[in-house]
Amino acid sequence: MLGTLAQRGAPAQGTPVWVPSGADDFLDFANAHYFAAGAERTIASLLGGDFDPAAISGSGMRITPSNGNRPKAIGVLLADLAAGLAAGCTILFDLSSATDPSGFLMFMADGANVDDADEAIIARASGNLSDYWDLFVDDGVTGSGSHKEAITLARSVGGGDYEYAWCADGGAATTQTVNYLTHMASVDTVLFGHDGSGTGNSLNDIYIRSITIYPAMLPADLPALTA
């Protein structure tokens, strides 16, 4: 079953000042600040798998096919992402790319990797969002350097319909509405920067400076978020 997000709504009193306003979770790799489920956390409590803490520096968390950093969400971060899919959420990635952004930015699935999953939601750094059913949102992102890319998952628009969105670098959001919440019975795996199958679909030399999770935003709000 998909969970509930206990900290939805206004941040609890005492939330650190470095957490963006309205955010539920904030992983600031460049400054080594981590917040999830209403409290400051260690990065080791939020990322596991073949995660290499040495890949984190003042530039962010580097993921490239050759450096062996294959993080997966664990603990309260995994629970919050599963709950975010159930309730609707917006996830903002702040990136720095050596080339045109490419590779899996996020892989959310009911199996351990792209080969084992019966259903998955995939966000690619090149600018598209898809699942194994009808969802395909495409909004190309090109150019080396800094990018902010936001995805909205499963924002309820009523009548059993759910809106997904992609927005990058202050541009207009691209959206799609589907008539299902998800075909996943449970969210078993959330991976950042890879698909779980060795180096397959790894990000191509990208630093993730931060990941921020918000309650689901309207498409009109995403350009300002990513500017």
Side-chain angles (χ1 to χ4, degrees), residues 116-161:
D116 293 342
D118 292 320
E119 169 63 334
I121 295 173
I122 299 165
R124 293 171 174 83
S126 57
N128 60 60
L129 181 65
S130 62
D131 66 5
Y132 290 177
W133 292 76
D134 298 326
L135 177 65
F136 186 77
V137 177
D138 191 36
D139 183 6
V141 180
T142 59
S144 62
S146 298
H147 296 282
K148 289 184 178 180
E149 306 184 14
I151 61 173
T152 293
L153 304 178
R155 188 179 75 86
S156 176
V157 293
D161 292 332

mmCIF file of all heavy atoms in Angstrom, residues 116-161:
data_model
loop_
_atom_site.group_PDB
_atom_site.id
_atom_site.type_symbol
_atom_site.label_atom_id
_atom_site.label_comp_id
_atom_site.label_asym_id
_atom_site.label_seq_id
_atom_site.Cartn_x
_atom_site.Cartn_y
_atom_site.Cartn_z
ATOM 1 N N ASP A 116 13.377 -5.996 -13.493
ATOM 2 C CA ASP A 116 12.468 -6.738 -12.615
ATOM 3 C C ASP A 116 11.118 -6.061 -12.414
ATOM 4 O O ASP A 116 10.173 -6.708 -11.978
ATOM 5 C CB ASP A 116 13.108 -6.929 -11.232
ATOM 6 C CG ASP A 116 14.328 -7.840 -11.268
ATOM 7 O OD1 ASP A 116 14.478 -8.576 -12.259
ATOM 8 O OD2 ASP A 116 15.124 -7.791 -10.315
ATOM 9 N N ALA A 117 11.023 -4.783 -12.697
ATOM 10 C CA ALA A 117 9.801 -4.039 -12.377
ATOM 11 C C ALA A 117 8.666 -4.366 -13.335
ATOM 12 O O ALA A 117 8.867 -4.467 -14.555
ATOM 13 C CB ALA A 117 10.089 -2.544 -12.406
ATOM 14 N N ASP A 118 7.462 -4.525 -12.794
ATOM 15 C CA ASP A 118 6.259 -4.646 -13.617
ATOM 16 C C ASP A 118 5.708 -3.275 -13.985
ATOM 17 O O ASP A 118 5.021 -3.127 -14.994
ATOM 18 C CB ASP A 118 5.184 -5.432 -12.869
ATOM 19 C CG ASP A 118 5.559 -6.889 -12.678
ATOM 20 O OD1 ASP A 118 6.115 -7.490 -13.613
ATOM 21 O OD2 ASP A 118 5.309 -7.416 -11.578
ATOM 22 N N GLU A 119 5.988 -2.289 -13.164
ATOM 23 C CA GLU A 119 5.565 -0.918 -13.422
ATOM 24 C C GLU A 119 6.613 0.029 -12.850
ATOM 25 O O GLU A 119 7.221 -0.237 -11.806
ATOM 26 C CB GLU A 119 4.194 -0.634 -12.798
ATOM 27 C CG GLU A 119 3.786 0.828 -12.773
ATOM 28 C CD GLU A 119 3.623 1.504 -14.129
ATOM 29 O OE1 GLU A 119 4.250 1.060 -15.094
ATOM 30 O OE2 GLU A 119 2.880 2.489 -14.206
ATOM 31 N N ALA A 120 6.851 1.127 -13.551
ATOM 32 C CA ALA A 120 7.826 2.114 -13.106
ATOM 33 C C ALA A 120 7.421 3.489 -13.619
ATOM 34 O O ALA A 120 6.720 3.618 -14.623
ATOM 35 C CB ALA A 120 9.225 1.771 -13.608
ATOM 36 N N ILE A 121 7.876 4.510 -12.905
ATOM 37 C CA ILE A 121 7.820 5.886 -13.382
ATOM 38 C C ILE A 121 9.257 6.354 -13.526
ATOM 39 O O ILE A 121 10.056 6.236 -12.590
ATOM 40 C CB ILE A 121 7.046 6.790 -12.408
ATOM 41 C CG1 ILE A 121 5.576 6.350 -12.348
ATOM 42 C CG2 ILE A 121 7.140 8.255 -12.835
ATOM 43 C CD1 ILE A 121 4.761 7.071 -11.298
ATOM 44 N N ILE A 122 9.593 6.848 -14.705
ATOM 45 C CA ILE A 122 10.975 7.184 -15.034
ATOM 46 C C ILE A 122 11.053 8.649 -15.424
ATOM 47 O O ILE A 122 10.316 9.111 -16.303
ATOM 48 C CB ILE A 122 11.494 6.316 -16.183
ATOM 49 C CG1 ILE A 122 11.474 4.837 -15.793
ATOM 50 C CG2 ILE A 122 12.908 6.747 -16.594
ATOM 51 C CD1 ILE A 122 11.631 3.891 -16.977
ATOM 52 N N ALA A 123 11.932 9.378 -14.750
ATOM 53 C CA ALA A 123 12.247 10.759 -15.136
ATOM 54 C C ALA A 123 13.651 10.775 -15.712
ATOM 55 O O ALA A 123 14.601 10.352 -15.042
ATOM 56 C CB ALA A 123 12.165 11.686 -13.924
ATOM 57 N N ARG A 124 13.775 11.250 -16.945
ATOM 58 C CA ARG A 124 15.076 11.311 -17.607
ATOM 59 C C ARG A 124 15.598 12.749 -17.580
ATOM 60 O O ARG A 124 14.833 13.693 -17.793
ATOM 61 C CB ARG A 124 14.975 10.814 -19.045
ATOM 62 C CG ARG A 124 14.656 9.326 -19.160
ATOM 63 C CD ARG A 124 14.342 8.942 -20.599
ATOM 64 N NE ARG A 124 14.161 7.510 -20.775
ATOM 65 C CZ ARG A 124 13.035 6.847 -20.539
ATOM 66 N NH1 ARG A 124 11.965 7.503 -20.101
ATOM 67 N NH2 ARG A 124 12.966 5.548 -20.720
ATOM 68 N N ALA A 125 16.899 12.888 -17.363
ATOM 69 C CA ALA A 125 17.491 14.221 -17.279
ATOM 70 C C ALA A 125 17.369 14.992 -18.586
ATOM 71 O O ALA A 125 17.434 16.223 -18.590
ATOM 72 C CB ALA A 125 18.958 14.114 -16.877
ATOM 73 N N SER A 126 17.182 14.297 -19.676
ATOM 74 C CA SER A 126 17.017 14.947 -20.980
ATOM 75 C C SER A 126 15.673 15.620 -21.135
ATOM 76 O O SER A 126 15.443 16.348 -22.099
ATOM 77 C CB SER A 126 17.211 13.922 -22.097
ATOM 78 O OG SER A 126 16.308 12.840 -21.938
ATOM 79 N N GLY A 127 14.753 15.362 -20.175
ATOM 80 C CA GLY A 127 13.512 16.120 -20.167
ATOM 81 C C GLY A 127 12.259 15.350 -20.473
ATOM 82 O O GLY A 127 11.350 15.890 -21.104
ATOM 83 N N ASN A 128 12.161 14.093 -20.023
ATOM 84 C CA ASN A 128 10.863 13.441 -20.178
ATOM 85 C C ASN A 128 10.527 12.543 -19.001
ATOM 86 O O ASN A 128 11.399 12.124 -18.237
ATOM 87 C CB ASN A 128 10.724 12.695 -21.517
ATOM 88 C CG ASN A 128 11.740 11.610 -21.722
ATOM 89 O OD1 ASN A 128 11.801 10.671 -20.950
ATOM 90 N ND2 ASN A 128 12.551 11.742 -22.760
ATOM 91 N N LEU A 129 9.248 12.291 -18.892
ATOM 92 C CA LEU A 129 8.655 11.564 -17.784
ATOM 93 C C LEU A 129 7.729 10.516 -18.369
ATOM 94 O O LEU A 129 6.883 10.830 -19.212
ATOM 95 C CB LEU A 129 7.887 12.553 -16.900
ATOM 96 C CG LEU A 129 7.189 12.046 -15.648
ATOM 97 C CD1 LEU A 129 8.201 11.530 -14.638
ATOM 98 C CD2 LEU A 129 6.356 13.183 -15.031
ATOM 99 N N SER A 130 7.874 9.253 -17.929
ATOM 100 C CA SER A 130 7.074 8.190 -18.530
ATOM 101 C C SER A 130 6.804 7.085 -17.519
ATOM 102 O O SER A 130 7.455 7.001 -16.467
ATOM 103 C CB SER A 130 7.793 7.595 -19.750
ATOM 104 O OG SER A 130 9.029 6.996 -19.369
ATOM 105 N N ASP A 131 5.823 6.244 -17.844
ATOM 106 C CA ASP A 131 5.623 5.006 -17.102
ATOM 107 C C ASP A 131 5.480 3.879 -18.111
ATOM 108 O O ASP A 131 5.776 4.054 -19.297
ATOM 109 C CB ASP A 131 4.430 5.102 -16.143
ATOM 110 C CG ASP A 131 3.076 5.252 -16.829
ATOM 111 O OD1 ASP A 131 3.012 5.188 -18.077
ATOM 112 O OD2 ASP A 131 2.062 5.449 -16.117
ATOM 113 N N TYR A 132 5.070 2.695 -17.668
ATOM 114 C CA TYR A 132 4.936 1.550 -18.575
ATOM 115 C C TYR A 132 3.550 1.482 -19.203
ATOM 116 O O TYR A 132 3.242 0.524 -19.895
ATOM 117 C CB TYR A 132 5.211 0.256 -17.828
ATOM 118 C CG TYR A 132 6.650 0.029 -17.410
ATOM 119 C CD1 TYR A 132 6.998 -1.093 -16.676
ATOM 120 C CD2 TYR A 132 7.669 0.915 -17.752
ATOM 121 C CE1 TYR A 132 8.308 -1.321 -16.283
ATOM 122 C CE2 TYR A 132 8.974 0.704 -17.367
ATOM 123 C CZ TYR A 132 9.289 -0.422 -16.627
ATOM 124 O OH TYR A 132 10.595 -0.659 -16.236
ATOM 125 N N TRP A 133 2.707 2.526 -18.970
ATOM 126 C CA TRP A 133 1.353 2.520 -19.491
ATOM 127 C C TRP A 133 1.165 3.667 -20.480
ATOM 128 O O TRP A 133 1.714 3.628 -21.561
ATOM 129 C CB TRP A 133 0.342 2.570 -18.323
ATOM 130 C CG TRP A 133 0.367 1.301 -17.523
ATOM 131 C CD1 TRP A 133 1.325 0.928 -16.608
ATOM 132 C CD2 TRP A 133 -0.550 0.208 -17.588
ATOM 133 N NE1 TRP A 133 1.051 -0.315 -16.100
ATOM 134 C CE2 TRP A 133 -0.098 -0.786 -16.677
ATOM 135 C CE3 TRP A 133 -1.726 -0.021 -18.301
ATOM 136 C CZ2 TRP A 133 -0.780 -1.996 -16.485
ATOM 137 C CZ3 TRP A 133 -2.421 -1.218 -18.101
ATOM 138 C CH2 TRP A 133 -1.944 -2.196 -17.212
ATOM 139 N N ASP A 134 0.433 4.680 -20.127
ATOM 140 C CA ASP A 134 0.078 5.736 -21.078
ATOM 141 C C ASP A 134 0.855 7.029 -20.904
ATOM 142 O O ASP A 134 0.763 7.927 -21.742
ATOM 143 C CB ASP A 134 -1.416 6.057 -20.971
ATOM 144 C CG ASP A 134 -2.295 4.863 -21.314
ATOM 145 O OD1 ASP A 134 -1.880 4.070 -22.193
ATOM 146 O OD2 ASP A 134 -3.374 4.718 -20.710
ATOM 147 N N LEU A 135 1.593 7.160 -19.817
ATOM 148 C CA LEU A 135 2.248 8.423 -19.507
ATOM 149 C C LEU A 135 3.502 8.635 -20.355
ATOM 150 O O LEU A 135 4.394 7.789 -20.388
ATOM 151 C CB LEU A 135 2.632 8.461 -18.030
ATOM 152 C CG LEU A 135 3.400 9.697 -17.556
ATOM 153 C CD1 LEU A 135 2.539 10.941 -17.662
ATOM 154 C CD2 LEU A 135 3.890 9.498 -16.126
ATOM 155 N N PHE A 136 3.559 9.777 -21.025
ATOM 156 C CA PHE A 136 4.787 10.201 -21.706
ATOM 157 C C PHE A 136 4.738 11.714 -21.869
ATOM 158 O O PHE A 136 4.034 12.253 -22.714
ATOM 159 C CB PHE A 136 4.968 9.535 -23.064
ATOM 160 C CG PHE A 136 6.310 9.870 -23.678
ATOM 161 C CD1 PHE A 136 7.464 9.251 -23.239
ATOM 162 C CD2 PHE A 136 6.414 10.828 -24.683
ATOM 163 C CE1 PHE A 136 8.705 9.563 -23.792
ATOM 164 C CE2 PHE A 136 7.638 11.149 -25.238
ATOM 165 C CZ PHE A 136 8.796 10.511 -24.793
ATOM 166 N N VAL A 137 5.482 12.400 -21.008
ATOM 167 C CA VAL A 137 5.606 13.860 -21.050
ATOM 168 C C VAL A 137 7.008 14.166 -21.556
ATOM 169 O O VAL A 137 7.989 13.683 -20.988
ATOM 170 C CB VAL A 137 5.398 14.478 -19.654
ATOM 171 C CG1 VAL A 137 5.608 15.983 -19.713
ATOM 172 C CG2 VAL A 137 4.018 14.143 -19.118
ATOM 173 N N ASP A 138 7.128 14.954 -22.602
ATOM 174 C CA ASP A 138 8.435 15.216 -23.205
ATOM 175 C C ASP A 138 8.672 16.721 -23.293
ATOM 176 O O ASP A 138 7.863 17.447 -23.868
ATOM 177 C CB ASP A 138 8.507 14.591 -24.595
ATOM 178 C CG ASP A 138 9.914 14.588 -25.153
ATOM 179 O OD1 ASP A 138 10.859 14.402 -24.375
ATOM 180 O OD2 ASP A 138 10.068 14.770 -26.372
ATOM 181 N N ASP A 139 9.782 17.172 -22.715
ATOM 182 C CA ASP A 139 10.116 18.598 -22.689
ATOM 183 C C ASP A 139 11.628 18.694 -22.671
ATOM 184 O O ASP A 139 12.244 18.748 -21.621
ATOM 185 C CB ASP A 139 9.498 19.249 -21.441
ATOM 186 C CG ASP A 139 9.743 20.750 -21.376
ATOM 187 O OD1 ASP A 139 10.284 21.297 -22.343
ATOM 188 O OD2 ASP A 139 9.400 21.351 -20.351
ATOM 189 N N GLY A 140 12.258 18.670 -23.828
ATOM 190 C CA GLY A 140 13.701 18.508 -23.959
ATOM 191 C C GLY A 140 14.525 19.516 -23.188
ATOM 192 O O GLY A 140 14.192 20.698 -23.104
ATOM 193 N N VAL A 141 15.622 19.024 -22.594
ATOM 194 C CA VAL A 141 16.575 19.853 -21.864
ATOM 195 C C VAL A 141 17.947 19.636 -22.500
ATOM 196 O O VAL A 141 18.417 18.500 -22.583
ATOM 197 C CB VAL A 141 16.626 19.481 -20.378
ATOM 198 C CG1 VAL A 141 17.629 20.355 -19.641
ATOM 199 C CG2 VAL A 141 15.248 19.596 -19.746
ATOM 200 N N THR A 142 18.568 20.701 -22.959
ATOM 201 C CA THR A 142 19.865 20.581 -23.628
ATOM 202 C C THR A 142 20.847 21.606 -23.068
ATOM 203 O O THR A 142 20.453 22.580 -22.429
ATOM 204 C CB THR A 142 19.737 20.795 -25.149
ATOM 205 O OG1 THR A 142 19.194 22.106 -25.393
ATOM 206 C CG2 THR A 142 18.841 19.742 -25.772
ATOM 207 N N GLY A 143 22.119 21.355 -23.341
ATOM 208 C CA GLY A 143 23.172 22.290 -22.963
ATOM 209 C C GLY A 143 23.895 21.870 -21.694
ATOM 210 O O GLY A 143 23.282 21.364 -20.749
ATOM 211 N N SER A 144 25.198 22.067 -21.690
ATOM 212 C CA SER A 144 25.968 21.813 -20.480
ATOM 213 C C SER A 144 25.728 22.928 -19.469
ATOM 214 O O SER A 144 25.165 23.979 -19.788
ATOM 215 C CB SER A 144 27.457 21.728 -20.818
ATOM 216 O OG SER A 144 27.912 22.968 -21.348
ATOM 217 N N GLY A 145 26.141 22.687 -18.226
ATOM 218 C CA GLY A 145 26.007 23.702 -17.192
ATOM 219 C C GLY A 145 24.843 23.445 -16.264
ATOM 220 O O GLY A 145 24.407 22.307 -16.078
ATOM 221 N N SER A 146 24.301 24.496 -15.669
ATOM 222 C CA SER A 146 23.286 24.396 -14.625
ATOM 223 C C SER A 146 21.892 24.218 -15.211
ATOM 224 O O SER A 146 21.536 24.866 -16.200
ATOM 225 C CB SER A 146 23.305 25.646 -13.741
ATOM 226 O OG SER A 146 24.547 25.778 -13.085
ATOM 227 N N HIS A 147 21.111 23.368 -14.574
ATOM 228 C CA HIS A 147 19.711 23.165 -14.944
ATOM 229 C C HIS A 147 18.897 22.914 -13.679
ATOM 230 O O HIS A 147 19.370 22.269 -12.740
ATOM 231 C CB HIS A 147 19.540 21.965 -15.871
ATOM 232 C CG HIS A 147 20.207 22.098 -17.198
ATOM 233 N ND1 HIS A 147 19.680 22.847 -18.224
ATOM 234 C CD2 HIS A 147 21.387 21.599 -17.655
ATOM 235 C CE1 HIS A 147 20.491 22.790 -19.269
ATOM 236 N NE2 HIS A 147 21.528 22.049 -18.945
ATOM 237 N N LYS A 148 17.671 23.422 -13.673
ATOM 238 C CA LYS A 148 16.703 23.057 -12.660
ATOM 239 C C LYS A 148 15.531 22.381 -13.365
ATOM 240 O O LYS A 148 14.924 22.960 -14.268
ATOM 241 C CB LYS A 148 16.232 24.283 -11.874
ATOM 242 C CG LYS A 148 17.289 24.854 -10.946
ATOM 243 C CD LYS A 148 16.737 26.005 -10.113
ATOM 244 C CE LYS A 148 17.785 26.547 -9.156
ATOM 245 N NZ LYS A 148 17.261 27.667 -8.339
ATOM 246 N N GLU A 149 15.251 21.166 -12.938
ATOM 247 C CA GLU A 149 14.214 20.357 -13.575
ATOM 248 C C GLU A 149 13.223 19.908 -12.510
ATOM 249 O O GLU A 149 13.609 19.328 -11.498
ATOM 250 C CB GLU A 149 14.840 19.149 -14.274
ATOM 251 C CG GLU A 149 15.946 19.543 -15.260
ATOM 252 C CD GLU A 149 16.521 18.389 -16.046
ATOM 253 O OE1 GLU A 149 15.897 17.295 -16.034
ATOM 254 O OE2 GLU A 149 17.576 18.554 -16.671
ATOM 255 N N ALA A 150 11.950 20.190 -12.739
ATOM 256 C CA ALA A 150 10.897 19.833 -11.790
ATOM 257 C C ALA A 150 9.919 18.870 -12.434
ATOM 258 O O ALA A 150 9.551 19.036 -13.604
ATOM 259 C CB ALA A 150 10.162 21.082 -11.312
ATOM 260 N N ILE A 151 9.522 17.869 -11.664
ATOM 261 C CA ILE A 151 8.475 16.952 -12.117
ATOM 262 C C ILE A 151 7.358 16.948 -11.081
ATOM 263 O O ILE A 151 7.615 17.026 -9.879
ATOM 264 C CB ILE A 151 9.012 15.525 -12.328
ATOM 265 C CG1 ILE A 151 9.577 14.937 -11.028
ATOM 266 C CG2 ILE A 151 10.044 15.502 -13.430
ATOM 267 C CD1 ILE A 151 9.967 13.478 -11.138
ATOM 268 N N THR A 152 6.145 16.910 -11.561
ATOM 269 C CA THR A 152 4.997 16.730 -10.675
ATOM 270 C C THR A 152 4.395 15.364 -10.958
ATOM 271 O O THR A 152 4.145 15.007 -12.111
ATOM 272 C CB THR A 152 3.943 17.826 -10.893
ATOM 273 O OG1 THR A 152 4.490 19.082 -10.473
ATOM 274 C CG2 THR A 152 2.691 17.547 -10.075
ATOM 275 N N LEU A 153 4.184 14.616 -9.890
ATOM 276 C CA LEU A 153 3.609 13.279 -9.984
ATOM 277 C C LEU A 153 2.197 13.283 -9.415
ATOM 278 O O LEU A 153 1.966 13.746 -8.293
ATOM 279 C CB LEU A 153 4.449 12.278 -9.185
ATOM 280 C CG LEU A 153 5.929 12.166 -9.509
ATOM 281 C CD1 LEU A 153 6.597 11.153 -8.567
ATOM 282 C CD2 LEU A 153 6.151 11.764 -10.961
ATOM 283 N N ALA A 154 1.255 12.796 -10.190
ATOM 284 C CA ALA A 154 -0.069 12.390 -9.709
ATOM 285 C C ALA A 154 -0.813 13.476 -8.937
ATOM 286 O O ALA A 154 -1.367 13.222 -7.870
ATOM 287 C CB ALA A 154 0.065 11.123 -8.852
ATOM 288 N N ARG A 155 -0.861 14.679 -9.505
ATOM 289 C CA ARG A 155 -1.686 15.730 -8.894
ATOM 290 C C ARG A 155 -3.142 15.473 -9.273
ATOM 291 O O ARG A 155 -3.504 15.489 -10.445
ATOM 292 C CB ARG A 155 -1.254 17.119 -9.377
ATOM 293 C CG ARG A 155 -1.959 18.254 -8.624
ATOM 294 C CD ARG A 155 -1.503 19.619 -9.114
ATOM 295 N NE ARG A 155 -2.063 19.958 -10.412
ATOM 296 C CZ ARG A 155 -3.247 20.538 -10.606
ATOM 297 N NH1 ARG A 155 -4.015 20.843 -9.582
ATOM 298 N NH2 ARG A 155 -3.670 20.821 -11.829
ATOM 299 N N SER A 156 -3.963 15.217 -8.277
ATOM 300 C CA SER A 156 -5.364 14.923 -8.552
ATOM 301 C C SER A 156 -6.064 16.146 -9.138
ATOM 302 O O SER A 156 -5.979 17.247 -8.588
ATOM 303 C CB SER A 156 -6.079 14.490 -7.272
ATOM 304 O OG SER A 156 -7.464 14.300 -7.517
ATOM 305 N N VAL A 157 -6.757 15.932 -10.254
ATOM 306 C CA VAL A 157 -7.547 17.004 -10.855
ATOM 307 C C VAL A 157 -9.037 16.659 -10.818
ATOM 308 O O VAL A 157 -9.854 17.321 -11.449
ATOM 309 C CB VAL A 157 -7.082 17.294 -12.301
ATOM 310 C CG1 VAL A 157 -5.679 17.877 -12.293
ATOM 311 C CG2 VAL A 157 -7.139 16.050 -13.177
ATOM 312 N N GLY A 158 -9.371 15.617 -10.034
ATOM 313 C CA GLY A 158 -10.763 15.229 -9.849
ATOM 314 C C GLY A 158 -11.230 14.192 -10.850
ATOM 315 O O GLY A 158 -10.633 13.998 -11.909
ATOM 316 N N GLY A 159 -12.297 13.522 -10.500
ATOM 317 C CA GLY A 159 -12.898 12.549 -11.399
ATOM 318 C C GLY A 159 -12.034 11.334 -11.670
ATOM 319 O O GLY A 159 -12.215 10.669 -12.703
ATOM 320 N N GLY A 160 -11.099 11.023 -10.784
ATOM 321 C CA GLY A 160 -10.209 9.889 -10.993
ATOM 322 C C GLY A 160 -9.091 10.164 -11.976
ATOM 323 O O GLY A 160 -8.427 9.222 -12.419
ATOM 324 N N ASP A 161 -8.856 11.427 -12.302
ATOM 325 C CA ASP A 161 -7.783 11.809 -13.234
ATOM 326 C C ASP A 161 -6.628 12.446 -12.468
ATOM 327 O O ASP A 161 -6.830 13.140 -11.462
ATOM 328 C CB ASP A 161 -8.303 12.794 -14.276
ATOM 329 C CG ASP A 161 -9.302 12.158 -15.221
ATOM 330 O OD1 ASP A 161 -9.239 10.941 -15.452
ATOM 331 O OD2 ASP A 161 -10.182 12.893 -15.727
#
